[in-house]
Amino acid sequence: MTSELLDQALVEEATKKSGLIWVRGAGAPAARALWHVWHEGAACLVGDGPGEQPLPGLAEGATAEVTVRSKDKGGRLVTWTAKVVEPAPGSEAWESAVAELKGKRLNAPDGEAMTQRWARECRVLRLEPTGDLAPLPDGSLAEPPLPTPATTRRPIPAGLPRLLLKKRRRK
């Protein structure tokens, strides 16, 4: 019993303090980094809508593997199994999850109308811990990055350092 309580406390504290969790849904090729909020014993997510994070492989009633990293060092702390629950929009569970998520959503394009958009076009999910923890791996488990249209920055222009230093001297 003590071991179960310690495991539960580890999952809760680590997930609460981490800004991102890595989630692999059923059938997903790789885990994805997702922002979340810990609320009432579960990690709450919003996504699968315009302007929101994708939630591949996360279907109602399925299980997902959640990996939590250390906020200061970035290393893996714990990997736990979650049951995916999708509260109905407008339900009490949905409203309480959305109230927490709304405060943590950065750069929302529609401000206060965000919750109505989430109800219409997005999915709000709860990842509830089942109590199963995966053992820490021996290797790194590093995977190649997912394909993306993003590009790297180009080198800075040669004269830019002189321009920046000139402004500092004038002050």
Side-chain angles (χ1 to χ4, degrees):
M1 186 68 172
T2 304
S3 176
E4 291 173 8
L5 290 175
L6 289 174
D7 290 348
Q8 182 181 355
L10 172 64
V11 166
E12 183 171 340
E13 283 303 310
T15 309
K16 250 189 229 181
K17 291 183 180 182
S18 181
L20 291 174
I21 53 177
W22 294 86
V23 180
R24 183 191 337 242
R32 294 192 68 103
L34 302 174
W35 72 272
H36 71 288
V37 171
W38 184 266
H39 179 63
E40 295 180 355
C44 298
L45 312 167
V46 64
D48 277 353
E52 301 296 340
Q53 60 192 354
L55 305 172
L58 297 178
E60 169 77 28
T63 59
E65 181 182 82
V66 180
T67 301
V68 182
R69 65 184 178 89
S70 166
K71 191 168 185 160
D72 57 348
K73 301 288 184 187
R76 177 189 313 244
L77 283 178
V78 64
T79 299
W80 49 278
T81 304
K83 177 184 174 192
V84 180
V85 176
E86 185 170 358
S91 68
E92 187 177 323
W94 188 88
E95 292 290 341
S96 68
V98 165
E100 291 293 318
L101 287 163
K102 181 179 167 185
K104 299 292 183 182
R105 174 64 165 95
L106 301 176
N107 303 323
D110 47 2
E112 291 301 315
M114 170 174 50
T115 55
Q116 290 88 18
R117 179 174 53 87
W118 286 352
R120 281 189 322 270
E121 303 170 2
C122 299
R123 296 171 60 211
V124 174
L125 301 177
R126 288 177 47 86
L127 302 181
E128 300 175 349
T130 61
D132 298 332
L133 298 184
L136 290 175
D138 293 333
S140 74
L141 300 179
E143 294 187 25
L146 297 172
T148 177
T151 61
T152 57
R153 283 184 9 177
R154 300 190 191 285
I156 62 171
L160 186 60
R162 282 183 294 192
L163 289 172
L164 293 175
L165 289 175
K166 223 186 264 188
K167 286 183 181 179
R168 282 191 184 159
R169 284 187 212 143
R170 287 181 187 169
K171 290 181 180 181

